[in-house]
Amino acid sequence: MEELEKAEDRKRNSNNPERNQRILDAAAKLLVRFGYDKTTISDIAQEAGISKGAIYLHYASREELFQALIMREIARYGRKFMEEIEADPEGGTLIGMYRHTLNQLPRYPVAQAVLARDKRVLGDMLRKLDPNIYLSSMNFRAEFIRRMQAAGLVRNDLNPQITAYILSMISIGFVTIDEFIGKEHAPSLEDQVNTLSALLSSGLEVPGGNSEAGKQIYRDIIEAFSQRYDLPTDETE
């Protein structure tokens, strides 16, 4: 009965989106600074300027709170790079999409930590993440390549699954290489993205493709991924 009452309290407090966002904003800040294992509910409450009890009106546990945070940050990142893609006349090309997704990723450190499986940031949360999310992401990428080939935007002589695997290698390497080389040795983000775009363009793209068709394909893939992982659709969730 007590657990039922607590669940009802959380349901009633879901109509307080401003407080919920304050909680998640505080959790994001502390997660990146100290990591999951060292961030407590008390820390989050203090950072958000509310009581611990107020947090439990929204989330049953610390784990549930951080799971909601990860989903929010992935959704925020996705919405932002889609805005950039939509605004760019060439955003629907393969290289246009990669340019915008990679340019935006460093601005969303929680999403970047998930992609990199960053142990310092995520700590014990790594065990709780869906183990299939990375394989699922690659499979979505393979379906994206198949549709881009059908639209005449990517070379048809390439195997979509193998191409998706290689692109996944590149994406993961993008967020993990500093751990091995050292951030001080990295070229600027702009130089990284421009050079990678040139390499992928010459190796994968079909010149003169229909960017608007590519944008629709990407919209469909992102929508399917969002539904698969029940990502929040706006800042009130």
PDB file of all heavy atoms in Angstrom, residues 37-67:
ATOM      1  N   ASP A  37      28.873   7.146  -9.556  1.00  0.00           N
ATOM      2  CA  ASP A  37      29.129   6.460  -8.290  1.00  0.00           C
ATOM      3  C   ASP A  37      29.317   7.418  -7.122  1.00  0.00           C
ATOM      4  O   ASP A  37      29.104   7.042  -5.961  1.00  0.00           O
ATOM      5  CB  ASP A  37      30.366   5.559  -8.419  1.00  0.00           C
ATOM      6  CG  ASP A  37      30.150   4.403  -9.386  1.00  0.00           C
ATOM      7  OD1 ASP A  37      28.974   4.103  -9.682  1.00  0.00           O
ATOM      8  OD2 ASP A  37      31.141   3.820  -9.849  1.00  0.00           O
ATOM      9  N   LYS A  38      29.709   8.651  -7.401  1.00  0.00           N
ATOM     10  CA  LYS A  38      29.985   9.613  -6.332  1.00  0.00           C
ATOM     11  C   LYS A  38      28.897  10.674  -6.187  1.00  0.00           C
ATOM     12  O   LYS A  38      29.049  11.613  -5.404  1.00  0.00           O
ATOM     13  CB  LYS A  38      31.331  10.293  -6.573  1.00  0.00           C
ATOM     14  CG  LYS A  38      32.522   9.344  -6.513  1.00  0.00           C
ATOM     15  CD  LYS A  38      33.829  10.088  -6.738  1.00  0.00           C
ATOM     16  CE  LYS A  38      35.022   9.144  -6.670  1.00  0.00           C
ATOM     17  NZ  LYS A  38      36.308   9.848  -6.903  1.00  0.00           N
ATOM     18  N   THR A  39      27.816  10.532  -6.930  1.00  0.00           N
ATOM     19  CA  THR A  39      26.735  11.527  -6.882  1.00  0.00           C
ATOM     20  C   THR A  39      25.532  10.939  -6.154  1.00  0.00           C
ATOM     21  O   THR A  39      24.975   9.923  -6.577  1.00  0.00           O
ATOM     22  CB  THR A  39      26.328  11.962  -8.297  1.00  0.00           C
ATOM     23  OG1 THR A  39      27.452  12.521  -8.974  1.00  0.00           O
ATOM     24  CG2 THR A  39      25.223  13.010  -8.236  1.00  0.00           C
ATOM     25  N   THR A  40      25.134  11.571  -5.064  1.00  0.00           N
ATOM     26  CA  THR A  40      24.021  11.077  -4.249  1.00  0.00           C
ATOM     27  C   THR A  40      22.763  11.916  -4.472  1.00  0.00           C
ATOM     28  O   THR A  40      22.822  13.026  -5.039  1.00  0.00           O
ATOM     29  CB  THR A  40      24.387  11.137  -2.760  1.00  0.00           C
ATOM     30  OG1 THR A  40      24.498  12.515  -2.360  1.00  0.00           O
ATOM     31  CG2 THR A  40      25.704  10.418  -2.486  1.00  0.00           C
ATOM     32  N   ILE A  41      21.656  11.398  -4.004  1.00  0.00           N
ATOM     33  CA  ILE A  41      20.402  12.147  -4.046  1.00  0.00           C
ATOM     34  C   ILE A  41      20.540  13.441  -3.241  1.00  0.00           C
ATOM     35  O   ILE A  41      20.032  14.500  -3.643  1.00  0.00           O
ATOM     36  CB  ILE A  41      19.244  11.294  -3.510  1.00  0.00           C
ATOM     37  CG1 ILE A  41      18.907  10.174  -4.491  1.00  0.00           C
ATOM     38  CG2 ILE A  41      18.011  12.148  -3.245  1.00  0.00           C
ATOM     39  CD1 ILE A  41      18.279  10.632  -5.794  1.00  0.00           C
ATOM     40  N   SER A  42      21.246  13.379  -2.108  1.00  0.00           N
ATOM     41  CA  SER A  42      21.457  14.589  -1.301  1.00  0.00           C
ATOM     42  C   SER A  42      22.220  15.646  -2.095  1.00  0.00           C
ATOM     43  O   SER A  42      21.895  16.843  -2.028  1.00  0.00           O
ATOM     44  CB  SER A  42      22.220  14.238  -0.023  1.00  0.00           C
ATOM     45  OG  SER A  42      21.450  13.407   0.812  1.00  0.00           O
ATOM     46  N   ASP A  43      23.235  15.216  -2.850  1.00  0.00           N
ATOM     47  CA  ASP A  43      24.001  16.146  -3.679  1.00  0.00           C
ATOM     48  C   ASP A  43      23.102  16.822  -4.707  1.00  0.00           C
ATOM     49  O   ASP A  43      23.174  18.039  -4.923  1.00  0.00           O
ATOM     50  CB  ASP A  43      25.131  15.413  -4.415  1.00  0.00           C
ATOM     51  CG  ASP A  43      26.171  14.828  -3.482  1.00  0.00           C
ATOM     52  OD1 ASP A  43      26.373  15.396  -2.397  1.00  0.00           O
ATOM     53  OD2 ASP A  43      26.777  13.802  -3.852  1.00  0.00           O
ATOM     54  N   ILE A  44      22.264  16.019  -5.335  1.00  0.00           N
ATOM     55  CA  ILE A  44      21.378  16.545  -6.383  1.00  0.00           C
ATOM     56  C   ILE A  44      20.371  17.520  -5.774  1.00  0.00           C
ATOM     57  O   ILE A  44      20.109  18.589  -6.341  1.00  0.00           O
ATOM     58  CB  ILE A  44      20.664  15.393  -7.106  1.00  0.00           C
ATOM     59  CG1 ILE A  44      21.688  14.512  -7.838  1.00  0.00           C
ATOM     60  CG2 ILE A  44      19.626  15.933  -8.098  1.00  0.00           C
ATOM     61  CD1 ILE A  44      21.126  13.196  -8.333  1.00  0.00           C
ATOM     62  N   ALA A  45      19.811  17.166  -4.626  1.00  0.00           N
ATOM     63  CA  ALA A  45      18.845  18.041  -3.962  1.00  0.00           C
ATOM     64  C   ALA A  45      19.480  19.381  -3.609  1.00  0.00           C
ATOM     65  O   ALA A  45      18.878  20.446  -3.825  1.00  0.00           O
ATOM     66  CB  ALA A  45      18.303  17.363  -2.707  1.00  0.00           C
ATOM     67  N   GLN A  46      20.703  19.329  -3.090  1.00  0.00           N
ATOM     68  CA  GLN A  46      21.392  20.573  -2.736  1.00  0.00           C
ATOM     69  C   GLN A  46      21.665  21.422  -3.970  1.00  0.00           C
ATOM     70  O   GLN A  46      21.459  22.641  -3.958  1.00  0.00           O
ATOM     71  CB  GLN A  46      22.703  20.254  -2.016  1.00  0.00           C
ATOM     72  CG  GLN A  46      23.456  21.494  -1.545  1.00  0.00           C
ATOM     73  CD  GLN A  46      24.689  21.142  -0.731  1.00  0.00           C
ATOM     74  OE1 GLN A  46      25.004  19.987  -0.530  1.00  0.00           O
ATOM     75  NE2 GLN A  46      25.396  22.157  -0.254  1.00  0.00           N
ATOM     76  N   GLU A  47      22.121  20.782  -5.044  1.00  0.00           N
ATOM     77  CA  GLU A  47      22.423  21.509  -6.282  1.00  0.00           C
ATOM     78  C   GLU A  47      21.155  22.121  -6.874  1.00  0.00           C
ATOM     79  O   GLU A  47      21.177  23.240  -7.413  1.00  0.00           O
ATOM     80  CB  GLU A  47      23.079  20.569  -7.288  1.00  0.00           C
ATOM     81  CG  GLU A  47      23.468  21.203  -8.610  1.00  0.00           C
ATOM     82  CD  GLU A  47      24.614  22.183  -8.492  1.00  0.00           C
ATOM     83  OE1 GLU A  47      25.470  22.019  -7.583  1.00  0.00           O
ATOM     84  OE2 GLU A  47      24.663  23.138  -9.288  1.00  0.00           O
ATOM     85  N   ALA A  48      20.041  21.398  -6.770  1.00  0.00           N
ATOM     86  CA  ALA A  48      18.773  21.884  -7.338  1.00  0.00           C
ATOM     87  C   ALA A  48      18.051  22.852  -6.415  1.00  0.00           C
ATOM     88  O   ALA A  48      17.082  23.500  -6.828  1.00  0.00           O
ATOM     89  CB  ALA A  48      17.867  20.696  -7.648  1.00  0.00           C
ATOM     90  N   GLY A  49      18.492  22.948  -5.169  1.00  0.00           N
ATOM     91  CA  GLY A  49      17.850  23.850  -4.221  1.00  0.00           C
ATOM     92  C   GLY A  49      16.509  23.358  -3.738  1.00  0.00           C
ATOM     93  O   GLY A  49      15.598  24.166  -3.479  1.00  0.00           O
ATOM     94  N   ILE A  50      16.368  22.027  -3.593  1.00  0.00           N
ATOM     95  CA  ILE A  50      15.113  21.452  -3.120  1.00  0.00           C
ATOM     96  C   ILE A  50      15.441  20.387  -2.073  1.00  0.00           C
ATOM     97  O   ILE A  50      16.608  20.084  -1.823  1.00  0.00           O
ATOM     98  CB  ILE A  50      14.293  20.820  -4.265  1.00  0.00           C
ATOM     99  CG1 ILE A  50      15.108  19.704  -4.945  1.00  0.00           C
ATOM    100  CG2 ILE A  50      13.880  21.879  -5.278  1.00  0.00           C
ATOM    101  CD1 ILE A  50      14.351  18.981  -6.035  1.00  0.00           C
ATOM    102  N   SER A  51      14.424  19.789  -1.495  1.00  0.00           N
ATOM    103  CA  SER A  51      14.635  18.745  -0.499  1.00  0.00           C
ATOM    104  C   SER A  51      14.784  17.388  -1.176  1.00  0.00           C
ATOM    105  O   SER A  51      14.350  17.181  -2.315  1.00  0.00           O
ATOM    106  CB  SER A  51      13.456  18.698   0.466  1.00  0.00           C
ATOM    107  OG  SER A  51      12.298  18.233  -0.204  1.00  0.00           O
ATOM    108  N   LYS A  52      15.383  16.443  -0.438  1.00  0.00           N
ATOM    109  CA  LYS A  52      15.467  15.067  -0.947  1.00  0.00           C
ATOM    110  C   LYS A  52      14.071  14.507  -1.196  1.00  0.00           C
ATOM    111  O   LYS A  52      13.838  13.795  -2.180  1.00  0.00           O
ATOM    112  CB  LYS A  52      16.216  14.180   0.053  1.00  0.00           C
ATOM    113  CG  LYS A  52      17.703  14.372   0.094  1.00  0.00           C
ATOM    114  CD  LYS A  52      18.336  13.525   1.192  1.00  0.00           C
ATOM    115  CE  LYS A  52      18.083  12.048   0.989  1.00  0.00           C
ATOM    116  NZ  LYS A  52      18.767  11.220   2.010  1.00  0.00           N
ATOM    117  N   GLY A  53      13.145  14.832  -0.291  1.00  0.00           N
ATOM    118  CA  GLY A  53      11.786  14.324  -0.430  1.00  0.00           C
ATOM    119  C   GLY A  53      11.136  14.750  -1.730  1.00  0.00           C
ATOM    120  O   GLY A  53      10.372  13.984  -2.331  1.00  0.00           O
ATOM    121  N   ALA A  54      11.465  15.983  -2.171  1.00  0.00           N
ATOM    122  CA  ALA A  54      10.890  16.473  -3.426  1.00  0.00           C
ATOM    123  C   ALA A  54      11.374  15.643  -4.608  1.00  0.00           C
ATOM    124  O   ALA A  54      10.633  15.411  -5.567  1.00  0.00           O
ATOM    125  CB  ALA A  54      11.240  17.944  -3.630  1.00  0.00           C
ATOM    126  N   ILE A  55      12.625  15.190  -4.545  1.00  0.00           N
ATOM    127  CA  ILE A  55      13.147  14.350  -5.622  1.00  0.00           C
ATOM    128  C   ILE A  55      12.394  13.026  -5.667  1.00  0.00           C
ATOM    129  O   ILE A  55      12.015  12.537  -6.742  1.00  0.00           O
ATOM    130  CB  ILE A  55      14.659  14.108  -5.444  1.00  0.00           C
ATOM    131  CG1 ILE A  55      15.420  15.415  -5.688  1.00  0.00           C
ATOM    132  CG2 ILE A  55      15.146  13.019  -6.408  1.00  0.00           C
ATOM    133  CD1 ILE A  55      16.920  15.305  -5.533  1.00  0.00           C
ATOM    134  N   TYR A  56      12.126  12.454  -4.490  1.00  0.00           N
ATOM    135  CA  TYR A  56      11.429  11.168  -4.453  1.00  0.00           C
ATOM    136  C   TYR A  56       9.961  11.278  -4.852  1.00  0.00           C
ATOM    137  O   TYR A  56       9.304  10.256  -5.092  1.00  0.00           O
ATOM    138  CB  TYR A  56      11.573  10.532  -3.068  1.00  0.00           C
ATOM    139  CG  TYR A  56      12.957   9.981  -2.822  1.00  0.00           C
ATOM    140  CD1 TYR A  56      13.780  10.528  -1.842  1.00  0.00           C
ATOM    141  CD2 TYR A  56      13.437   8.923  -3.592  1.00  0.00           C
ATOM    142  CE1 TYR A  56      15.059  10.019  -1.624  1.00  0.00           C
ATOM    143  CE2 TYR A  56      14.712   8.410  -3.383  1.00  0.00           C
ATOM    144  CZ  TYR A  56      15.521   8.962  -2.399  1.00  0.00           C
ATOM    145  OH  TYR A  56      16.785   8.461  -2.194  1.00  0.00           O
ATOM    146  N   LEU A  57       9.454  12.489  -4.940  1.00  0.00           N
ATOM    147  CA  LEU A  57       8.118  12.670  -5.493  1.00  0.00           C
ATOM    148  C   LEU A  57       8.110  12.480  -7.005  1.00  0.00           C
ATOM    149  O   LEU A  57       7.063  12.247  -7.611  1.00  0.00           O
ATOM    150  CB  LEU A  57       7.574  14.058  -5.142  1.00  0.00           C
ATOM    151  CG  LEU A  57       7.227  14.296  -3.677  1.00  0.00           C
ATOM    152  CD1 LEU A  57       6.845  15.751  -3.454  1.00  0.00           C
ATOM    153  CD2 LEU A  57       6.099  13.375  -3.227  1.00  0.00           C
ATOM    154  N   HIS A  58       9.300  12.596  -7.619  1.00  0.00           N
ATOM    155  CA  HIS A  58       9.426  12.400  -9.069  1.00  0.00           C
ATOM    156  C   HIS A  58      10.032  11.046  -9.426  1.00  0.00           C
ATOM    157  O   HIS A  58       9.657  10.462 -10.447  1.00  0.00           O
ATOM    158  CB  HIS A  58      10.293  13.505  -9.667  1.00  0.00           C
ATOM    159  CG  HIS A  58       9.664  14.857  -9.658  1.00  0.00           C
ATOM    160  ND1 HIS A  58       8.949  15.366 -10.725  1.00  0.00           N
ATOM    161  CD2 HIS A  58       9.633  15.821  -8.698  1.00  0.00           C
ATOM    162  CE1 HIS A  58       8.513  16.583 -10.429  1.00  0.00           C
ATOM    163  NE2 HIS A  58       8.917  16.885  -9.204  1.00  0.00           N
ATOM    164  N   TYR A  59      10.958  10.578  -8.603  1.00  0.00           N
ATOM    165  CA  TYR A  59      11.699   9.351  -8.928  1.00  0.00           C
ATOM    166  C   TYR A  59      11.752   8.426  -7.731  1.00  0.00           C
ATOM    167  O   TYR A  59      12.030   8.857  -6.610  1.00  0.00           O
ATOM    168  CB  TYR A  59      13.115   9.697  -9.398  1.00  0.00           C
ATOM    169  CG  TYR A  59      13.116  10.578 -10.625  1.00  0.00           C
ATOM    170  CD1 TYR A  59      13.342  11.950 -10.512  1.00  0.00           C
ATOM    171  CD2 TYR A  59      12.842  10.042 -11.886  1.00  0.00           C
ATOM    172  CE1 TYR A  59      13.304  12.764 -11.639  1.00  0.00           C
ATOM    173  CE2 TYR A  59      12.801  10.845 -13.003  1.00  0.00           C
ATOM    174  CZ  TYR A  59      13.035  12.208 -12.876  1.00  0.00           C
ATOM    175  OH  TYR A  59      12.988  13.008 -13.982  1.00  0.00           O
ATOM    176  N   ALA A  60      11.528   7.154  -7.990  1.00  0.00           N
ATOM    177  CA  ALA A  60      11.507   6.176  -6.904  1.00  0.00           C
ATOM    178  C   ALA A  60      12.897   5.868  -6.371  1.00  0.00           C
ATOM    179  O   ALA A  60      13.039   5.411  -5.236  1.00  0.00           O
ATOM    180  CB  ALA A  60      10.844   4.883  -7.387  1.00  0.00           C
ATOM    181  N   SER A  61      13.928   6.103  -7.199  1.00  0.00           N
ATOM    182  CA  SER A  61      15.284   5.747  -6.798  1.00  0.00           C
ATOM    183  C   SER A  61      16.294   6.596  -7.556  1.00  0.00           C
ATOM    184  O   SER A  61      15.956   7.254  -8.552  1.00  0.00           O
ATOM    185  CB  SER A  61      15.556   4.263  -7.086  1.00  0.00           C
ATOM    186  OG  SER A  61      15.525   4.031  -8.489  1.00  0.00           O
ATOM    187  N   ARG A  62      17.511   6.566  -7.073  1.00  0.00           N
ATOM    188  CA  ARG A  62      18.602   7.256  -7.769  1.00  0.00           C
ATOM    189  C   ARG A  62      18.795   6.665  -9.166  1.00  0.00           C
ATOM    190  O   ARG A  62      19.018   7.393 -10.132  1.00  0.00           O
ATOM    191  CB  ARG A  62      19.891   7.124  -6.955  1.00  0.00           C
ATOM    192  CG  ARG A  62      21.064   7.927  -7.491  1.00  0.00           C
ATOM    193  CD  ARG A  62      22.242   7.861  -6.531  1.00  0.00           C
ATOM    194  NE  ARG A  62      22.893   6.574  -6.586  1.00  0.00           N
ATOM    195  CZ  ARG A  62      24.127   6.358  -7.051  1.00  0.00           C
ATOM    196  NH1 ARG A  62      24.842   7.365  -7.484  1.00  0.00           N
ATOM    197  NH2 ARG A  62      24.647   5.148  -7.060  1.00  0.00           N
ATOM    198  N   GLU A  63      18.704   5.366  -9.265  1.00  0.00           N
ATOM    199  CA  GLU A  63      18.864   4.703 -10.561  1.00  0.00           C
ATOM    200  C   GLU A  63      17.811   5.180 -11.556  1.00  0.00           C
ATOM    201  O   GLU A  63      18.115   5.478 -12.718  1.00  0.00           O
ATOM    202  CB  GLU A  63      18.755   3.186 -10.381  1.00  0.00           C
ATOM    203  CG  GLU A  63      18.865   2.409 -11.673  1.00  0.00           C
ATOM    204  CD  GLU A  63      18.693   0.918 -11.461  1.00  0.00           C
ATOM    205  OE1 GLU A  63      19.010   0.437 -10.352  1.00  0.00           O
ATOM    206  OE2 GLU A  63      18.235   0.237 -12.397  1.00  0.00           O
ATOM    207  N   GLU A  64      16.556   5.262 -11.100  1.00  0.00           N
ATOM    208  CA  GLU A  64      15.481   5.720 -11.994  1.00  0.00           C
ATOM    209  C   GLU A  64      15.725   7.155 -12.441  1.00  0.00           C
ATOM    210  O   GLU A  64      15.503   7.501 -13.608  1.00  0.00           O
ATOM    211  CB  GLU A  64      14.140   5.623 -11.268  1.00  0.00           C
ATOM    212  CG  GLU A  64      12.950   6.022 -12.129  1.00  0.00           C
ATOM    213  CD  GLU A  64      11.640   5.919 -11.379  1.00  0.00           C
ATOM    214  OE1 GLU A  64      11.262   4.791 -11.014  1.00  0.00           O
ATOM    215  OE2 GLU A  64      11.005   6.982 -11.138  1.00  0.00           O
ATOM    216  N   LEU A  65      16.206   7.988 -11.533  1.00  0.00           N
ATOM    217  CA  LEU A  65      16.493   9.386 -11.874  1.00  0.00           C
ATOM    218  C   LEU A  65      17.553   9.459 -12.975  1.00  0.00           C
ATOM    219  O   LEU A  65      17.382  10.180 -13.980  1.00  0.00           O
ATOM    220  CB  LEU A  65      16.967  10.131 -10.621  1.00  0.00           C
ATOM    221  CG  LEU A  65      17.123  11.655 -10.695  1.00  0.00           C
ATOM    222  CD1 LEU A  65      17.164  12.220  -9.272  1.00  0.00           C
ATOM    223  CD2 LEU A  65      18.374  12.098 -11.447  1.00  0.00           C
ATOM    224  N   PHE A  66      18.638   8.723 -12.801  1.00  0.00           N
ATOM    225  CA  PHE A  66      19.719   8.801 -13.779  1.00  0.00           C
ATOM    226  C   PHE A  66      19.352   8.146 -15.105  1.00  0.00           C
ATOM    227  O   PHE A  66      19.821   8.573 -16.159  1.00  0.00           O
ATOM    228  CB  PHE A  66      21.007   8.201 -13.206  1.00  0.00           C
ATOM    229  CG  PHE A  66      21.772   9.172 -12.339  1.00  0.00           C
ATOM    230  CD1 PHE A  66      21.713   9.080 -10.961  1.00  0.00           C
ATOM    231  CD2 PHE A  66      22.518  10.186 -12.912  1.00  0.00           C
ATOM    232  CE1 PHE A  66      22.400   9.985 -10.159  1.00  0.00           C
ATOM    233  CE2 PHE A  66      23.205  11.090 -12.129  1.00  0.00           C
ATOM    234  CZ  PHE A  66      23.154  10.994 -10.753  1.00  0.00           C
ATOM    235  N   GLN A  67      18.522   7.143 -15.075  1.00  0.00           N
ATOM    236  CA  GLN A  67      18.033   6.570 -16.326  1.00  0.00           C
ATOM    237  C   GLN A  67      17.205   7.602 -17.089  1.00  0.00           C
ATOM    238  O   GLN A  67      17.329   7.737 -18.315  1.00  0.00           O
ATOM    239  CB  GLN A  67      17.207   5.314 -16.048  1.00  0.00           C
ATOM    240  CG  GLN A  67      18.057   4.110 -15.646  1.00  0.00           C
ATOM    241  CD  GLN A  67      17.225   2.906 -15.266  1.00  0.00           C
ATOM    242  OE1 GLN A  67      16.040   3.019 -14.929  1.00  0.00           O
ATOM    243  NE2 GLN A  67      17.837   1.733 -15.300  1.00  0.00           N
TER     244      GLN A  67
END
